[in-house]
Amino acid sequence: MTPFLIERFLNGTAEEVVPGIVTKGQGGSGVVGSGRTAKVPKGVLYELRQMYYDCTQTSNPIAMRALRTMVPLSQIVFGTDFPFRTTAETARGLDTCGVFNAAEIKAINRDNAVRLLPARFKS
């Protein structure tokens, strides 16, 4: 998979988007409805909620709870920044962060990506 294809679907990692960009995107105040422009008539938060996010380097409970509040589980996928963090380290963080149950972790680890990119997962 090329980075260009991935960027069509993934906005970024949870650590980059939640909560910093959400707050700044709302006009810096965090108040929903502030900072809207003609280019973003429904607001930045609305647009951010349309994106998919990976959990690259973001398995800490604070970032993951914030992401889980912002988007449904179906928009969170597994990601890693190898060699900076290994797949095992990211997986261990998801398992121990206390935000997701076993079925939700399974969805993040594989099921959401299969649903998003079914052609990539054909047997």
Side-chain angles (χ1 to χ4, degrees):
M1 208 177 292
T2 65
F4 175 71
L5 179 61
I6 293 172
E7 284 302 315
R8 281 183 47 202
F9 295 104
L10 300 178
N11 186 56
T13 64
E15 72 177 346
E16 296 166 342
V17 176
V18 182
I21 292 176
V22 171
T23 300
K24 290 175 184 175
Q26 294 297 332
S29 66
V31 176
V32 174
S34 64
R36 291 187 181 177
T37 68
K39 292 182 179 180
V40 192
K42 294 182 179 181
V44 172
L45 186 57
Y46 172 85
E47 298 300 333
L48 290 173
R49 286 182 166 155
Q50 308 311 303
M51 305 289 185
Y52 290 83
Y53 298 88
D54 68 64
C55 61
T56 301
Q57 293 198 25
T58 317
S59 53
N60 73 70
I62 295 168
M64 295 315 291
R65 282 189 210 289
L67 180 63
R68 184 64 195 277
T69 299
M70 189 178 83
V71 298
L73 180 74
S74 62
Q75 290 171 224
I76 304 172
V77 297
F78 189 87
T80 158
D81 262 349
F82 182 82
F84 305 107
R85 291 222 174 121
T86 65
T87 302
E89 182 181 2
T90 300
R92 188 171 46 256
L94 283 174
D95 287 342
T96 61
C97 73
V99 176
F100 307 104
N101 64 39
E104 292 169 332
I105 290 172
K106 181 179 178 288
I108 292 169
N109 286 346
R110 183 176 191 281
D111 297 346
N112 293 345
V114 170
R115 185 183 39 75
L116 186 62
L117 301 166
R120 295 283 181 181
F121 292 91
K122 285 187 179 179
S123 302

